[in-house]
Amino acid sequence: MARSLCQITDFSTDEIRELFDLCAQMKSKQIAPRPLEGKSVACIFTKASLRTRVSFEVGINELGGHAMYITDNEIKLGQRETVADAARVLSRYVGMIMIRTFKQSDVDELAKYASVPVINGLTDLVHPCQILGDYFTIMEHLGKKDRYKIAYVGDGNNIVNSWLNLACRIPIELRVGTADDCHPDSEILKKARQAEDSKILITADPKEAVSDADVVYTDVWASMGEKHRAEEKEDKLRKYQLNGSLLAAADPGAIVLHCLPAERNKEITDEVMDGPQSVVFDQAENRLHIQKAIMAFLLK
Ligand code: CP
Ligand code: NVA
């Protein structure tokens, strides 16, 4: 079994720090490794994507490889054949697999049976590449290595679960402002609460979450796996909108993050997204750099 990235907790703290160093060196063009020279990468998408699709394709090309965009129309993962068989077959053709899909168990299964690295490009449960890139963005803007006060307001979704996973590896204070029945995954939350150096707060009060924070983060109220619950989520999460008045509770030097795509003037107002504290497009750019680092790291 090759090394894969199914969740952030697949990496140790030292490995995550190594990834960030690699990312900085690649972004500044100090190094330009081509570990994918002569290899193809299967990029499987059973959900829509702009950033993940384009940043992976560009990154794969820059690492010397060839990206193959595969939708579920072709492979019907788990329907035409088992995920395990698809993993065994793909491993005979490609040097790496990237997958964005619904079920985390499909990614775990693929990684278990593939003999090449598998990278999770988002599931209903987690979005590891996003949060690794986001943490790199935070360090770039704010300069410290750890102990940030990170506030997240909105749905307790794959983004929050990934922040909780990161808290198991990097000391942070994570405050999640969300409605009672929009909490993150209970198992992931339990593990993060056991992390010695991180502090986790889940609160129904958005101001309590944001108060004095260094970073304020939000995401759509209804994720791709939950669009059928959009109206219900909107009703529950309206009071968690990231607007100017909520942001005023954060530290004056706080930065604003959103993984994008945003539903403007729902979870985040134009004023905040386009305001001076927003770094959302740096964040989007860093997806490219961190994913190149992740691929180079896994191919070592
Ligand atoms: N943030 C992110 O993963 O964007 P896409 O859904 O467009 O890939
Ligand atoms: N929580 C969002 C993230 C999109 C990048 C979703 O899963 O749709």
Side-chain angles (χ1 to χ4, degrees), residues 134-135 137-139 141-144 147-153 163 172-176 209-218 242 247 249-258 277 279 283:
D134 295 345
Y135 199 78
T137 307
I138 294 169
M139 289 191 297
H141 279 273
L142 300 180
K144 283 195 300 182
R147 310 213 180 259
Y148 288 106
K149 289 182 197 143
I150 299 171
Y152 175 98
V153 281
W163 273 115
I172 54 171
E173 187 177 329
L174 181 67
R175 294 96 155 267
V176 180
V210 169
S211 167
D212 204 24
D214 305 309
V215 176
V216 187
Y217 200 123
T218 190
L242 181 50
L247 184 59
D251 183 88
I255 54 173
V256 169
L257 278 80
H258 188 310
Q277 289 167 273
V279 300
Q283 211 189 328

Side-chain angles (χ1 to χ4, degrees), residues 43-46 68-77 79-81:
C43 299
I44 304 170
F45 284 87
T46 71
M68 294 171 64
Y69 176 63
I70 302 168
T71 69
D72 209 38
N73 282 344
E74 288 97 47
I75 58 169
K76 303 208 184 306
L77 198 66
Q79 291 174 43
R80 285 188 77 228
E81 59 198 314

